[in-house]
Amino acid sequence: MSPAVWPRESPLEERLLHVDPRKGRLRDARIADLPALLEPGDLLVVNDGATLPASLHGATERGAAVEVRLIGEVSEGRYSALLFGAGDWRTRTEDRPAPPALGPGDAVTFGDDLSAVIERVSPASPRLVEIAFRERGAPLWSALYRRGRPIQYAYVAAPLAIWHTQTRYASRPLCAELPSAGRPLVWGLLLELIRRGVRVASLTHAAGISSTGEAALDALLPLPERFDIPEETVAAVREAKARGRRVVAVGTTVTRALEGCAAQYGGELQAGPGVTDLVLHPGFRPRVVDGLLTGVHDPTESHFRLLEAFAPAPLLHRANSYAEEAGYLCHEFGDSYLVLS
């Protein structure tokens, strides 16, 4: 399936394939049709995490080039991160050279206003590390936004600006990559959903990286990720369930936050921050989420198997075959599926 190589100017015209698991039916639509596919009282939950400028190019103390891709914040000024050698996004991730050998105590400098020290190297790979920035607070954030760029991949046509990787309702900068399922939800569409009686709630989930370029590391994805669920969202989910309405997650990050939280509390949502290591898989039975709005992904990607928690594999394969023949585009700037009975 062909990737979308650049953000499109008219999100409402992007394609939306409604996959109905109960009826085994596919329906071709547009993002603008989403209000007609939901019902009054349904609850749409979005991830309001903002995308970090998480790609930082720097050099070791010996002058070797290194790219550090931030994965997630561990604590203030400390991040889990992925290391690459020389080069940039124009080279396919799997073709990037290995980084220089780095261990605890080694420093990486990104400019005269930003530097970090390697604190820990994962036993899973020398490329997976924890780093601590020497800067803190406002100086750190200012330097990150001066020096960093959005993480992007070789199929994208040109360098992305940070605003290309934000949803309209983005708030706290916690995401390594764009929570892309919510990208086409423009304000006019959200207001139309609310006008028709669909409730919209939010949570924050620190979306991680989608590819490491190393098969053994990719097999570990997604890594544990932080989330924060407001009281208002918990109340909205409970009300929807009590009224027999559907909870629709915008993306697997929202699904992971809601289902990960419920798994930790015996099936009940609890408001507040947390960390989830939940991995959605074909045998997973959702307790909270009834369906999801998600991007189009190739059947060879791990994301495809996550969808099998919500629809049978034969139907998903049929959906992908149809989408490919019909010219749907994939990846973060691509078209969408609504998997919902």
Side-chain angles (χ1 to χ4, degrees), residues 66-78:
V66 62
E67 180 188 358
V68 175
R69 292 186 180 180
L70 305 180
I71 298 174
E73 191 177 35
V74 177
S75 60
E76 184 182 1
R78 295 177 62 244

Side-chain angles (χ1 to χ4, degrees), residues 46-52 70-74 79-80 141 171-180 203-210 221-229 252-258 273-276:
V46 302
N47 179 6
D48 67 7
T51 308
L52 286 161
L70 305 180
I71 298 174
E73 191 177 35
V74 177
Y79 285 81
S80 57
W141 287 105
S171 60
R172 287 179 286 175
L174 293 176
C175 299
E177 295 185 9
L178 166 67
S180 56
L203 55 79
T204 308
H205 184 100
I209 56 173
S210 57
L221 299 179
L223 299 171
E225 294 167 346
R226 297 166 59 194
F227 64 83
D228 194 357
I229 306 177
T252 53
T253 60
V254 172
T255 306
R256 201 167 180 232
L258 292 174
V275 175
T276 181

Side-chain angles (χ1 to χ4, degrees), residues 1 22 31 50 96-97 128 155 181 197 237 248 252 263 296 306-307 321:
M1 194 176 299
R22 184 172 299 162
I31 285 291
R96 289 286 298 275
L128 185 61
Y155 52 79
V237 170
V248 181
T252 53
V296 174
L306 306 184
L307 298 182
S321 295

Side-chain angles (χ1 to χ4, degrees), residues 167-317:
T167 59
R168 269 65 172 183
Y169 42 79
S171 60
R172 287 179 286 175
L174 293 176
C175 299
E177 295 185 9
L178 166 67
S180 56
R183 178 193 50 77
L185 300 184
V186 298
W187 285 115
L189 180 64
L190 291 169
L191 291 173
E192 178 63 15
L193 286 163
I194 293 170
R195 189 186 71 79
R196 293 194 181 206
V198 176
R199 296 192 65 181
V200 179
S202 66
L203 55 79
T204 308
H205 184 100
I209 56 173
S210 57
S211 177
T212 69
E214 184 177 306
L217 277 181
D218 281 348
L220 300 178
L221 299 179
L223 299 171
E225 294 167 346
R226 297 166 59 194
F227 64 83
D228 194 357
I229 306 177
E231 287 277 6
E232 295 84 355
T233 299
V234 172
V237 170
R238 289 174 179 166
E239 182 178 347
K241 292 294 186 182
R243 294 185 175 185
R245 309 315 301 162
R246 300 172 296 183
V247 175
V248 181
V250 178
T252 53
T253 60
V254 172
T255 306
R256 201 167 180 232
L258 292 174
E259 296 295 344
C261 179
Q264 293 171 15
Y265 294 101
E268 292 292 326
L269 284 183
Q270 297 290 331
V275 175
T276 181
D277 60 359
L278 176 69
V279 177
L280 303 173
H281 54 83
F284 180 79
R285 294 293 175 264
R287 301 183 182 188
V288 180
V289 176
D290 299 297
L292 73 160
L293 178 70
T294 183
V296 174
H297 293 267
D298 191 274
T300 60
E301 297 179 45
S302 59
H303 182 93
F304 181 82
R305 287 185 59 78
L306 306 184
L307 298 182
E308 291 183 40
F310 295 90
L315 177 60
L316 292 172
H317 281 287

Side-chain angles (χ1 to χ4, degrees), residues 6-78:
W6 193 250
R8 287 169 284 177
E9 293 185 3
S10 302
L12 294 178
E13 294 302 311
E14 292 176 18
R15 304 184 73 173
L16 174 66
L17 185 63
H18 180 201
V19 181
D20 187 331
R22 184 172 299 162
K23 296 181 179 179
R25 187 176 65 187
L26 307 177
R27 176 184 174 186
D28 205 2
R30 301 282 174 177
I31 285 291
D33 300 320
L34 183 62
L37 298 174
L38 301 180
E39 298 175 355
D42 285 346
L43 176 66
L44 190 73
V45 185
V46 302
N47 179 6
D48 67 7
T51 308
L52 286 161
S55 170
L56 296 163
H57 286 265
T60 68
E61 293 171 298
R62 296 183 178 182
V66 62
E67 180 188 358
V68 175
R69 292 186 180 180
L70 305 180
I71 298 174
E73 191 177 35
V74 177
S75 60
E76 184 182 1
R78 295 177 62 244

